Amino acid sequence: MYQYDEYDQTMIDQRVAQFRDQTRRFLAGELTEEQFRPLRLMNGLYIQLHAPMLRVAIPYGMMSSRQVRKIAEVARRYDKGFVHFTTRQNFQMNWPKLEAVPEILAELASVQIHSIQSSGNCIRNTTSDQLAGINANEIEDPRPWAEIIRQWSTFHPEFAYLPRKFKIAVVGSKEDRAATKLHDIGLHLVKNHEDEVGFEVLVGGGLGRTPVIGEQIRPFLKKQDLLSYLEAILRVYNRLGRRDNKFKARIKITVREHGINHIRELVEAEWVHIREQLKLDTKEIERVKQYFTKPAYEMDTADSDSHYADLLAQDKEFALWVKQNTVDHKIPGYRAAYVSLKKPGQAPGDITSEQLEVVADLADEFSFGEVRSTHTQNLIFTDVKQADLYALWLRLNSENLATPNINTLTDIICCPGLDYCGLANATSIPLSKGIAQRFDDLDYLYDLGDIKIKFSGCMNGCAHQSVGHIGILGVDKKGEEWYQFTLGGSSEADASLGERLGRAIPKNEVVDTVAHLLDAYIDLRHDDESFLMTVRRVGVDPFKERVYAENH
């Protein structure tokens, strides 16, 4: 994990002091709301439906146990004792008092956390794969590259006022756990024909009211050219991006309006001017990489514990949790263990201060003091000895954090919706809870297999509904909440946009509609065929017939 030096710490401390004065002046009436708005957005502060909402950046989702404890403390002292993890690996506080926000930021800065550029029309938190560094299929660890991008983009004077917000994600393997194809820029570490590692660069992806899959702008980019090429893309976007209509301002629209070939020509032409001035030298790359070295694994002994196999055989619940909530690790004898924030009955992505403190303790005890957030709104311990999994599971289970539902129907991505968000048209959390409670039979969930529901309360797509296997979008119709379903989307390596099922569904039929879709899937599927594969094979019509026939 990158550790701030004196320069970094001074910079964010000064930013806190600056925002403290800006907030004081606003509360004293010396700044208007119009004047204060861009200042608070630069610090991740929104004015939502019921209270301010503070979004805090977690670079590539990595947190130390010390940072997790501070988040818990801040949530208890200044909010309602819980935080909400988002699809950008950030966390949000939904009830802080405006006058308390500078103090919150000061507390977080003391453990090297900030909210700078977590909102506004700037480069947002760069996200990555939660399994970065432990994935055996990885070409290279993407975290140092995400950190290099973070250092380059934070406070970049040329890109502080882009046409719209700008999101970058980077992954190090063919698997995509960061939805890179739905980002303004997606970066894949790849090898060329000479076995040299560099980047495939995608551009123009995005969600919201006009979802678009990103297009390849460069098949291979040398590592030392990463920042100069990103800067060239940003310069072209800054020049061509629409500022007259915020709904057409994202780079995905710029790419569509001008065409990927023309954008590529412009970027390459711009790149010629800056390529030599912004080369990353090996010394700088290695300086950042040194912060992401392997922890002190027990290389020889971790894989030799036979008791683990006995526990798997003796305890069915433990075995289910291991199967569903843990994944392979490149070091023999270790696994990564998900902390499910999707227990039926709770808002997806929410965790209390008390639970966060438990997570911090468990990170220290079982995972080298580190926790990561995922873009699916869960947490993960990445380095757990398999001999320790049983003890970890017992502790998580006692805190309601061991629901074995990762990658099942109830592992729902969900936005805050109308309960919190001033942009939302419809509620999402209560209906997500309703779905999770209706389908809480684990045997049924496991039989259904991998089904990803993504549920948004408005067109902005914070929950990625356009790329859900089942996407649900809340819409307002003359003051009533209705819900539009899409089927067949994916945010992974086989990224695709969902196809609209049919007319919108009334609120009281949403959970039943999910049931009809599942019944149709069970009838239509071939052996071992996933929900997504079935939809792609038969199309949406058989599902449409089932849903709307039931409603007639």
Side-chain angles (χ1 to χ4, degrees):
M1 178 181 296
Y2 180 75
Q3 299 294 308
Y4 287 4
D5 59 19
E6 186 177 347
Y7 174 80
D8 297 320
Q9 191 66 53
T10 300
M11 187 166 57
I12 67 163
D13 288 344
Q14 289 176 342
R15 183 58 174 262
V16 170
Q18 182 187 53
F19 187 62
R20 190 188 297 279
D21 184 58
Q22 291 164 349
T23 304
R24 180 196 62 74
R25 286 191 285 150
F26 173 70
L27 292 172
E30 297 171 17
L31 294 176
T32 66
E33 167 56 31
E34 186 178 359
Q35 292 170 323
F36 184 57
R37 183 173 182 275
L39 303 177
R40 62 174 169 76
L41 289 176
M42 287 178 183
N43 292 280
L45 184 62
Y46 290 78
I47 301 299
Q48 292 288 47
L49 195 61
H50 304 295
M53 182 276 280
L54 180 65
R55 180 182 298 139
V56 180
I58 303 295
Y60 32 91
M62 283 189 71
M63 295 172 284
S64 68
S65 58
R66 178 171 175 243
Q67 290 175 323
V68 174
R69 287 193 185 89
K70 176 59 73 175
I71 294 168
E73 178 188 341
V74 166
R76 179 185 295 113
R77 185 181 301 172
Y78 299 102
D79 206 294
K80 293 191 175 183
F82 71 93
V83 298
H84 174 77
F85 282 93
T86 78
T87 52
R88 292 206 59 72
Q89 299 180 298
N90 298 321
F91 74 87
Q92 294 179 178
M93 299 171 64
N94 286 309
W95 301 95
K97 293 180 179 177
L98 175 58
E99 56 269 30
V101 171
E103 199 56 40
I104 294 172
L105 296 180
E107 295 262 8
L108 294 174
S110 71
V111 294
Q112 305 186 347
I113 298 176
H114 66 73
S115 63
I116 298 164
Q117 295 185 195
S118 59
S119 61
N121 294 330
C122 54
I123 301 173
R124 302 289 185 88
N125 184 32
T126 298
T127 57
S128 189
D129 181 356
Q130 67 266 18
L131 302 185
I134 66 164
N135 176 14
N137 300 323
E138 201 168 69
I139 294 172
E140 188 175 308
D141 188 344
R143 291 172 299 170
W145 299 103
E147 175 58 31
I148 287 169
I149 293 168
R150 186 191 73 82
Q151 294 188 22
W152 160 76
S153 61
T154 303
F155 293 127
H156 196 305
E158 191 173 339
F159 305 134
Y161 293 98
L162 293 166
R164 279 288 279 143
K165 57 189 174 183
F166 202 91
K167 300 176 180 178
I168 302 173
V170 52
V171 293
S173 71
K174 291 182 179 178
E175 303 134 340
D176 190 346
R177 283 174 284 266
T180 57
K181 294 182 179 177
L182 287 311
H183 279 71
D184 298 295
I185 292 178
L187 296 168
H188 298 173
L189 282 154
V190 294
K191 288 185 178 178
N192 63 10
H193 294 306
E194 287 74 41
D195 214 30
E196 182 185 12
V197 177
F199 296 94
E200 178 191 13
V201 185
L202 307 176
V203 70
L207 294 163
R209 65 183 58 235
T210 309
V212 178
I213 304 292
E215 297 184 69
Q216 185 192 79
I217 190 169
R218 205 164 218 284
F220 188 83
L221 178 72
K222 290 180 179 293
K223 290 177 176 178
Q224 61 265 35
D225 294 324
L226 175 64
L227 295 187
S228 61
Y229 200 77
L230 294 183
E231 188 143 323
I233 293 173
L234 265 297
R235 282 188 172 189
V236 170
Y237 169 55
N238 215 3
R239 193 161 66 239
L240 298 184
R242 298 275 297 268
R243 284 183 161 85
D244 59 324
N245 184 340
K246 74 173 187 177
F247 299 116
K248 296 183 178 180
R250 297 288 296 271
I251 194 173
K252 61 188 177 185
I253 304 299
T254 309
V255 172
R256 289 180 71 174
E257 287 184 341
H258 294 269
I260 186 65
N261 291 331
H262 184 53
I263 293 293
R264 183 183 296 111
E265 290 173 4
L266 294 174
V267 169
E268 295 284 331
E270 182 66 33
W271 190 35
V272 168
H273 298 300
I274 59 177
R275 183 175 180 179
E276 297 304 319
Q277 305 165 21
L278 199 54
K279 276 191 180 298
L280 275 165
D281 62 34
T282 303
K283 185 178 178 182
E284 173 60 10
I285 295 170
E286 292 305 316
R287 182 189 73 82
V288 177
K289 281 187 174 181
Q290 71 175 333
Y291 292 104
F292 300 92
T293 54
K294 295 177 184 176
Y297 295 121
E298 296 179 19
M299 302 293 286
D300 299 326
T301 60
D303 197 28
S304 60
D305 179 69
S306 60
H307 191 49
Y308 171 66
D310 295 337
L311 289 168
L312 286 174
Q314 294 167 11
D315 195 321
K316 180 183 176 184
E317 289 188 22
F318 171 60
L320 283 177
W321 177 78
V322 169
K323 180 181 179 183
Q324 203 66 40
N325 285 27
T326 73
V327 294
D328 292 341
H329 196 292
K330 68 181 182 183
I331 304 297
Y334 283 83
R335 294 187 72 78
Y338 283 92
V339 179
S340 174
L341 303 186
K342 311 292 179 62
K343 181 180 173 60
Q346 79 174 49
D350 279 7
I351 185 169
T352 68
S353 294
E354 291 74 19
Q355 289 174 319
L356 276 172
E357 286 166 343
V358 171
V359 167
D361 291 345
L362 295 178
D364 283 338
E365 190 171 350
F366 296 112
S367 192
F368 300 99
E370 180 191 315
V371 185
R372 298 184 194 174
S373 58
T374 79
H375 102 276
T376 55
Q377 298 179 293
N378 293 301
L379 301 178
I380 187 168
F381 298 117
T382 49
D383 302 289
V384 184
K385 261 193 313 187
Q386 64 182 26
D388 291 336
L389 283 171
Y390 191 72
L392 174 63
W393 171 70
L394 288 174
R395 299 274 291 280
L396 288 173
N397 212 20
S398 68
E399 299 294 333
N400 292 318
L401 293 169
T403 306
N405 63 347
I406 299 299
N407 289 329
T408 72
L409 181 80
T410 58
D411 188 9
I412 300 171
I413 291 180
C414 181
C415 76
L418 199 56
D419 294 280
Y420 296 103
C421 180
L423 300 175
N425 297 316
T427 52
S428 52
I429 291 174
L431 291 172
S432 293
K433 288 180 178 177
I435 294 168
Q437 288 170 329
R438 173 79 163 268
F439 305 104
D440 66 348
D441 182 324
L442 289 174
D443 289 335
Y444 180 63
L445 292 182
Y446 298 152
D447 176 65
L448 292 172
D450 180 9
I451 301 182
K452 293 181 172 61
I453 293 183
K454 303 185 180 186
F455 199 143
S456 279
C458 78
M459 293 294 293
N460 290 306
C462 294
H464 300 188
Q465 79 280 356
S466 302
V467 289
H469 297 175
I470 299 175
I472 308 176
L473 167 65
V475 295
D476 176 82
K477 285 189 176 183
K478 298 179 181 178
E480 294 185 4
E481 297 173 46
W482 289 71
Y483 294 85
Q484 180 67 62
F485 278 67
T486 52
L487 300 183
S490 170
S491 64
E492 299 177 17
D494 60 347
S496 61
L497 302 177
E499 184 176 346
R500 186 171 172 171
L501 182 69
R503 66 178 182 275
I505 304 291
K507 185 176 182 179
N508 62 353
E509 295 179 11
V510 167
V511 179
D512 286 341
T513 297
V514 173
H516 298 321
L517 293 172
L518 299 179
D519 289 343
Y521 162 58
I522 291 170
D523 291 344
L524 292 164
R525 67 182 174 183
H526 291 166
D527 291 343
D528 298 326
E529 189 177 50
S530 69
F531 181 88
L532 182 59
M533 291 169 64
T534 301
V535 174
R536 286 177 173 174
R537 177 174 56 81
V538 305
V540 302
D541 285 345
F543 294 92
K544 181 186 299 184
E545 291 168 8
R546 184 69 63 95
V547 167
Y548 295 102
E550 293 285 348
N551 286 340
H552 289 161

